[in-house]
Amino acid sequence: MEEAGRERDMAAEDLGVATKDTAVVNTKPAKRYPLALWIAILGLIMLVGVYIFSLSLKQNGMLFGLMQTNLIEKEREKPCHDPSIPDTEIPYLHYPMPNTYDRKECACTGVRFFAILSMQRSGSGWVETLLNSHPNISSNGEIFSVKDRRSNITAITKTLDKLYNLDWYSSAAKNECTAAVGLKWMLNQGLMKHHQEIVEYFNRRGVSAIFLLRRNLLRRYVSILANAHDSAMKQLNGTHKAHVHSKHEAEILAQYKPTIDKKTLITELKRSDKLASDALVNFKNTRHVVLYYEDVVRNRTMLMDVLDFLRVPKRKLSSRHVKIHTKRLCDHIDNWADVNNFLKGTRFESFLNGSRR
């Protein structure tokens, strides 16, 4: 009995020791890393990420540079290559081989590709006729006004390929020795919807963009409303004309004075302003030049800069287009007093005086 009692006492002592040891283990604080160490680790991870990203950018830049170098080398190997042409110009000079005819002695006449990027009622029709009066320029109108041609990016590039291969036939098509070929492309004709792919196409094919915009968006809006009215009423002997070639026709169309809805006016001006601004941002990485209609009207010599941009000889340009709305803005709006009071104090107030700023 005494031995059994001693064993029970020893077991109790062992259990007490184990419990005490366990208590000691459980009360030992967990090991923690200082906050500064965590910050240092996160900083290191960020630095590694930035380094990897910079390497990626560098590789992409090197790849683009190699593509440009290969393009230049390939052009140098062609029989039509002119050694006097600077390397920077080679990507924009082309020697198309049309499927529909033979360029014959003009096979080695270099061709520049361009696109006039604009908005309806911004003077693009007038400027295009001026450019088409040059014997070496062919601008083929609003090709993408036909919806099927802009239904998707495949249809768009197929159409552009045909145009820039000199296989597009229109009244603007010149002889085999065309030195610059292009089109007039409105921003709302698939251009902005597929802008990323189109920018890539422009840069890959060496297409130069000519932006033609309008500063005074209120005047543009008046022109849009007047053109829509004539489209419905056909005021010139039952025929709708977006552009006219006589002063008499211009005076007839200018007689109509639209009544502008004040509720939608600000929205329309903002929409037009944003569309133009977005286009300039989206196409900033292309070879381009920006013109404003009002500036060209005041100074026709600006078109000589466009001829320089297209690298074609300078010469006098002409157009049969006659301007329709030539009077003060207040003489072309039926509810002028309401519009004038409504726009005062807004960021569009300057349009009331006939200018943007």
Side-chain angles (χ1 to χ4, degrees):
M1 293 291 293
E2 292 179 359
E3 290 182 359
R6 283 197 296 271
E7 288 178 357
R8 284 196 298 269
D9 292 340
M10 290 177 64
E13 288 178 2
D14 290 342
L15 180 61
V17 171
T19 304
K20 188 182 296 182
D21 290 342
T22 302
V24 171
V25 171
N26 289 338
T27 56
K28 186 177 181 180
K31 185 176 181 180
R32 295 184 180 180
Y33 295 98
L35 179 62
L37 180 59
W38 282 112
I39 294 175
I41 292 173
L42 289 175
L44 182 60
I45 293 172
M46 291 176 64
L47 286 174
V48 171
V50 171
Y51 177 71
I52 294 173
F53 182 68
S54 65
L55 282 180
S56 176
L57 289 179
K58 185 176 181 180
Q59 288 175 352
N60 288 336
M62 291 173 64
L63 179 60
F64 180 74
L66 287 173
M67 291 174 61
Q68 288 289 84
T69 301
N70 290 336
L71 175 63
I72 292 171
E73 291 301 323
K74 287 180 180 179
E75 288 295 329
R76 284 175 175 166
E77 294 171 1
K78 291 183 178 180
C80 292
H81 175 67
D82 183 351
S84 65
I85 298 175
D87 288 350
T88 54
E89 291 294 317
I90 289 178
Y92 304 101
L93 191 62
H94 313 277
Y95 302 94
M97 299 178 65
N99 296 316
T100 52
Y101 63 91
D102 189 349
R103 296 188 75 202
K104 300 177 182 179
E105 69 274 7
C106 298
C108 285
T109 298
V111 180
R112 309 272 175 170
F113 301 160
F114 71 89
I116 301 172
L117 309 184
S118 189
M119 300 165 68
Q120 286 82 356
R121 314 310 295 178
S122 296
S124 59
W126 171 61
V127 168
E128 186 178 48
T129 58
L130 286 166
L131 293 179
N132 273 330
S133 70
H134 195 290
N136 303 121
I137 299 177
S138 293
S139 188
N140 293 269
E142 287 184 43
I143 292 176
F144 290 109
S145 62
V146 179
K147 291 184 179 180
D148 288 345
R149 296 172 187 161
R150 65 174 195 261
S151 58
N152 53 59
I153 190 60
T154 301
I156 290 173
T157 55
K158 182 179 178 180
T159 301
L160 291 175
D161 286 342
K162 184 177 180 179
L163 170 70
Y164 293 131
N165 200 47
L166 302 185
D167 283 317
W168 193 272
Y169 179 77
S170 73
S171 59
K174 299 291 198 311
N175 57 32
E176 294 85 352
C177 289
T178 295
V181 62
L183 75 159
K184 186 173 64 168
W185 200 346
M186 300 296 104
L187 301 184
N188 62 353
Q189 292 175 350
L191 189 70
M192 296 297 287
K193 182 179 180 180
H194 303 284
H195 69 86
Q196 291 180 330
E197 296 91 341
I198 294 169
V199 165
E200 189 277 330
Y201 181 93
F202 278 15
N203 288 333
R204 176 169 50 84
R205 294 296 310 274
V207 180
S208 300
I210 302 172
F211 277 99
L212 179 65
L213 304 172
R214 196 156 183 170
R215 295 187 186 279
N216 194 316
L217 299 178
L218 181 58
R219 274 194 173 274
R220 174 180 175 270
Y221 191 43
V222 169
S223 182
I224 289 174
L225 295 175
N227 185 61
H229 173 77
D230 184 65
S231 179
M233 302 304 296
K234 297 178 175 56
Q235 301 166 93
L236 299 174
N237 299 321
T239 303
H240 168 56
K241 290 187 177 182
H243 307 99
V244 297
H245 296 151
S246 74
K247 185 177 180 181
H248 174 66
E249 291 177 328
E251 289 175 346
I252 292 175
L253 295 184
Q255 288 176 5
Y256 171 71
K257 299 196 298 183
T259 299
I260 296 179
D261 184 359
K262 296 184 297 181
K263 295 180 181 179
T264 60
L265 179 56
I266 293 292
T267 300
E268 174 60 27
L269 295 178
K270 286 182 177 180
R271 185 194 66 79
S272 299
D273 189 45
K274 185 178 187 304
L275 183 61
S277 299
D278 288 348
L280 292 175
V281 171
N282 291 338
F283 285 81
K284 66 180 180 180
N285 291 326
T286 63
R287 181 177 185 265
H288 67 275
V289 64
V290 181
L291 299 176
Y292 286 95
Y293 169 75
E294 292 86 349
D295 299 342
V296 179
V297 169
R298 285 192 295 266
N299 182 11
R300 294 277 192 94
T301 60
M302 293 188 69
L303 292 173
M304 296 300 105
D305 296 334
V306 176
L307 299 186
D308 279 341
F309 180 70
L310 295 176
R311 304 294 191 265
V312 296
K314 290 183 179 180
R315 60 159 292 163
K316 185 177 180 180
L317 305 177
S318 61
S319 172
R320 294 178 56 216
H321 279 212
V322 176
K323 187 174 175 62
I324 297 174
H325 298 100
T326 59
K327 299 179 181 179
R328 297 176 304 170
L329 195 53
C330 60
D331 297 322
H332 292 300
I333 299 176
D334 188 55
N335 58 334
W336 168 253
D338 292 339
V339 171
N340 183 63
N341 291 333
F342 186 69
L343 289 183
K344 280 187 175 179
T346 72
R347 65 187 179 101
F348 302 113
E349 181 177 2
S350 59
F351 293 168
L352 299 170
N353 298 321
S355 62
R356 181 182 176 89
R357 296 178 176 82

